[in-house]
């Protein structure tokens, strides 16, 4: 943010002068009182020299206050974040810059920037003297283990005159926002089933042209190659027409995040819900890097990036913008009040949705059946189950004897529905589970004879 220098309005002038006089320090008030007392005594006693001393003592703090009042409107402040979006647990640096745009040097400057408590203590800096037209730059670091959007500012500036007669505080109105996104874990490239895989050999094409009679022309656009002009269509329509080239169809993937408050227990950066949010961000980033068109779904039926291109991220620049939008959404996502996953099921239109990756909390039998039906509306499905039975145990704990628990029963239902489903224990790494999902899918494909492969697989 940058706050330019500006002169105060007339109505602000009077209030500003009163504020300035209220900013007199103990030294300034003492000088002012001593000067008034000396002037009164000089008048009563008829002492001219004492009157001059009294006037000097009275005028000095008033002059300092007036100069300081003018100076406060001749100092501009700016803030710059580097970077403005950081993963949880990483540091960002905040750069502050003060410019003296007046013709007079400033006195002592004390800076204080307001930051939320979760980012650390309020930074304070002391600048000795800024010459006319000069500038000073300082910086500090902020860090948060909790994702979210945190306001920084407004910046407060405390000015003091060289004699210490007066101190004034100025608050700049602008502020910036630091976005702390979930941690993104790099994932290994594996084979996962789906409708199409990125830009591999098995990619589909939106138009299958075979011969001159099958050409689908379109109107000429600035920049089109003239060698693509289709003269027969140009003669028919009376305007310049060009051949429409085959366009590769990007593989699609939907990443479902279960945000139901009743599905997760605990809170904090080490909770199951935070693991699911971080896992969702990791999968989104990984698949976008592999060339997929990706969208983020929640149990409430919300979709990011939203409408357009079927709700999926589009081409390269659109993918970068959509990735930022999805990560910003995950930075502030919280538990929902929903009790079911039917809204997410309705968002899956049919078999053209490609790969489906889901991060799920506790599922009862009814919701497990809803998730099982989602498999019929996707080209492939992978589920990571974080229920309280497994997340409440340490990885080294042995389950109590006495049959299958709820987590194992849910996994069985999902696997019978065609899902590649894995249980996520506390402390598990997503990269290892990602490989395990690939091995489980490969084993299931080999067990079924491998005859259903459509040749559309690639590295994901």
């Amino acid at each position: 943010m940058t706050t330019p220098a500006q002169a105060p309005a007339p109505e602000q002038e009077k209030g500003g002068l009163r504020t300035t006089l209220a900013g007199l320090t103990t030294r300034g008030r003492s000088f002012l009182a001593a000067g008034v007392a000396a002037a009164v005594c000089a008048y009563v006693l008829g002492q001219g020299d004492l009157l001059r001393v009294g006037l000097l003592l009275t005028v000095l703090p008033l002059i300092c206050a007036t100069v300081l009042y003018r100076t406060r409107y001749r100092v501009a402040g700016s803030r710059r974040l580097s970077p403005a979006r950081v993963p949880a647990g990483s540091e960002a640096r905040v750069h502050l810059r003060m410019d003296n745009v007046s013709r007079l040097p400033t006195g002592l400057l004390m800076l204080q920037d307001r930051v939320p408590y979760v980012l650390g203590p309020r930074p304070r800096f002391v600048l000795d003297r800024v010459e006319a037209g000069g500038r000073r730059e300082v910086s500090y670091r902020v860090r948060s283990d909790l994702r979210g959007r945190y306001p920084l500012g407004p910046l407060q500036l405390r000015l003091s005159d060289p004699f210490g007669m007066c101190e004034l505080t100025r608050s700049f109105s602008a502020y910036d926002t630091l976005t702390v996104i979930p941690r993104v874990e790099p994932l290994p490239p594996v084979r996962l089933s789906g409708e199409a895989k990125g830009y591999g050999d098995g990619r589909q094409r939106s138009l299958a042209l075979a011969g001159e009679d099958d050409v689908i022309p379109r109107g000429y656009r600035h920049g089109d190659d003239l060698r693509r002009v289709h003269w027969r269509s140009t003669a028919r329509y009376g305007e310049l027409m060009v051949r429409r080239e085959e366009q590769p169809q990007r593989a699609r993937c939907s990443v479902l995040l279960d945000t139901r408050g009743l599905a997760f227990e605990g809170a904090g950066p080490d909770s199951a819900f935070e693991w699911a949010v971080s896992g969702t961000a990791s999968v989104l980033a990984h698949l976008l890097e592999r060339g997929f068109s990706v969208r983020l779904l929640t149990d409430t039926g919300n979709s990011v990036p939203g409408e357009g291109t079927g709700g999926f991220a589009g081409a390269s620049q659109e993918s970068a913008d959509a990735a930022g939008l999805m990560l910003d959404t995950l930075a502030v996502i919280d538990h929902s009040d929903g009790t079911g996953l039917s809204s997410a099921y309705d968002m899956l239109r049919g078999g053209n949705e490609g790969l489906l990756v889901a991060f799920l909390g506790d599922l009862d039998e009814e919701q497990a059946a809803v998730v099982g039906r989602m498999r019929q509306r996707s080209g492939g499905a992978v589920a990571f189950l974080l229920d309280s039975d497994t997340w409440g145990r340490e990885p080294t704990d042995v389950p109590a004897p006495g049959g299958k628990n709820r987590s194992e029963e849910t996994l069985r239902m999902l696997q019978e529905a065609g899902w590649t489903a894995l249980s996520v224990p506390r402390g598990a790494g997503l990269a290892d589970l990602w490989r395990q999902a690939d091995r489980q899918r490969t084993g299931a494909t080999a067990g079924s004879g491998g005859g259903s492969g459509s040749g559309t697989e690639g590295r994901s």
Side-chain angles (χ1 to χ4, degrees):
M1 64 92 178
T2 301
T3 304
Q6 55 183 359
E11 60 272 13
Q12 295 176 340
E13 188 82 22
K14 297 179 180 179
L17 290 175
R18 287 194 295 267
T19 303
T20 303
L21 293 177
L24 289 174
T25 63
T26 302
R27 179 185 298 177
R29 295 175 186 271
S30 300
F31 268 64
L32 185 61
V36 172
V40 172
C41 292
Y43 176 77
V44 172
L45 301 176
Q47 298 291 329
D49 295 336
L50 183 59
L51 178 63
R52 286 191 289 270
V53 173
L55 291 177
L56 176 62
L57 294 177
T58 303
V59 170
L60 181 59
L62 296 179
I63 293 178
C64 292
T66 303
V67 172
L68 199 61
Y69 172 73
R70 293 294 181 180
T71 302
R72 65 185 295 200
Y73 291 102
R74 301 298 190 271
V75 178
S78 63
R79 181 192 298 104
R80 178 172 56 87
L81 300 181
S82 178
R85 181 192 290 125
V86 295
S90 300
E91 290 184 345
R93 183 167 288 276
V94 183
H95 301 268
L96 302 178
R97 172 175 163 179
M98 303 303 300
D99 293 271
N100 182 14
V101 295
S102 68
R103 299 178 181 178
L104 298 175
T106 68
L108 190 67
L109 301 180
M110 288 168 282
L111 302 180
Q112 176 179 281
D113 206 7
R114 291 186 179 180
V115 299
Y117 175 77
V118 70
L119 297 182
R122 289 187 177 182
R124 294 179 175 87
F125 305 93
V126 177
L127 304 181
D128 187 9
R129 179 179 180 273
V130 183
E131 64 278 3
R135 69 181 62 168
R136 296 291 185 272
E137 294 185 4
V138 293
S139 65
Y140 64 93
R141 295 178 295 180
V142 290
R143 179 181 181 274
S144 174
D145 292 327
L146 300 176
R147 55 184 177 81
R149 293 173 62 87
Y150 301 102
L152 299 178
L155 179 65
Q156 290 184 332
L157 175 65
R158 178 177 296 179
L159 303 93
S160 176
D161 65 280
F163 300 102
M165 298 289 180
C166 184
E167 287 186 355
L168 293 180
T169 300
R170 177 185 178 186
S171 294
F172 297 90
S173 58
Y175 67 91
D176 292 281
T177 302
L178 175 68
T179 302
V180 181
I181 61 175
R183 292 184 179 91
V184 176
E185 181 178 352
L187 301 180
V190 298
R191 284 186 169 278
L192 292 174
S193 59
E195 188 179 30
K197 296 293 169 288
Y199 295 111
D201 295 336
R203 64 186 178 189
Q204 298 180 347
R205 293 185 177 272
S206 58
L207 299 176
L209 308 181
E212 191 73 14
D213 294 335
D214 294 331
V215 170
I216 302 177
R218 62 167 174 83
Y220 175 82
R221 298 172 185 169
H222 179 71
D224 286 338
D225 191 347
L226 293 178
R227 290 175 295 182
R228 292 171 50 202
V229 173
H230 191 246
W231 298 109
R232 184 182 301 177
S233 299
T234 299
R236 173 185 294 182
Y237 296 105
E239 60 177 320
L240 202 59
M241 307 292 290
V242 297
R243 296 180 180 87
R244 186 179 299 180
E245 293 181 343
E246 295 182 351
Q247 300 293 329
Q249 180 174 329
R250 307 181 78 201
R252 288 183 170 186
C253 177
S254 299
V255 182
L256 171 62
L257 174 61
D258 184 4
T259 64
R260 297 172 299 146
L262 55 82
F264 296 92
E265 295 182 359
D270 296 328
S271 63
F273 182 68
E274 293 301 323
W275 193 100
V277 173
S278 178
T280 301
S282 301
V283 172
L284 289 172
H286 174 74
L287 293 178
L288 284 171
E289 291 176 356
R290 305 302 296 178
F292 279 69
S293 291
V294 183
R295 67 173 173 178
L296 169 65
L297 292 178
T298 64
D299 58 287
T300 59
N302 294 330
S303 176
V304 182
E307 301 298 330
T309 321
F312 290 84
S316 57
Q317 182 58 40
E318 295 177 358
S319 294
D321 296 338
L325 177 60
M326 287 185 283
L327 290 176
D328 288 346
T329 301
L330 291 175
V332 297
I333 201 166
D334 201 354
H335 292 294
S336 69
D337 297 329
T339 58
L341 298 166
S342 300
S343 299
Y345 173 77
D346 295 336
M347 289 294 296
L348 301 174
R349 301 187 186 90
N352 62 342
E353 296 297 302
L355 180 64
L356 174 62
V357 181
F359 291 86
L360 307 169
D362 286 339
L363 297 177
D364 55 25
E365 186 174 351
E366 179 182 357
Q367 298 308 316
V370 173
V371 175
R373 292 196 298 271
M374 292 182 185
R375 175 63 182 87
Q376 303 172 2
R377 296 193 172 188
S378 62
V382 179
F384 299 97
L385 187 62
L386 298 91
D387 70 353
S388 56
D389 289 342
T390 56
W391 194 258
R393 295 195 311 263
E394 295 295 336
T396 57
D397 292 345
V398 179
K404 296 182 178 180
N405 56 26
R406 182 179 57 183
S407 173
E408 294 175 343
E409 183 64 23
T410 303
L411 287 175
R412 183 191 61 80
M413 293 180 61
L414 296 182
Q415 291 169 356
E416 289 179 353
W419 281 78
T420 300
L422 294 91
S423 179
V424 181
R426 178 186 296 273
L430 181 59
D432 296 333
L433 293 173
W434 194 248
R435 296 188 186 94
Q436 184 178 346
D438 175 55
R439 291 193 298 268
Q440 185 179 120
R441 183 206 61 83
T442 303
T445 303
S448 62
S452 60
S454 61
T456 62
E457 294 186 1
R459 306 296 290 179
S460 59

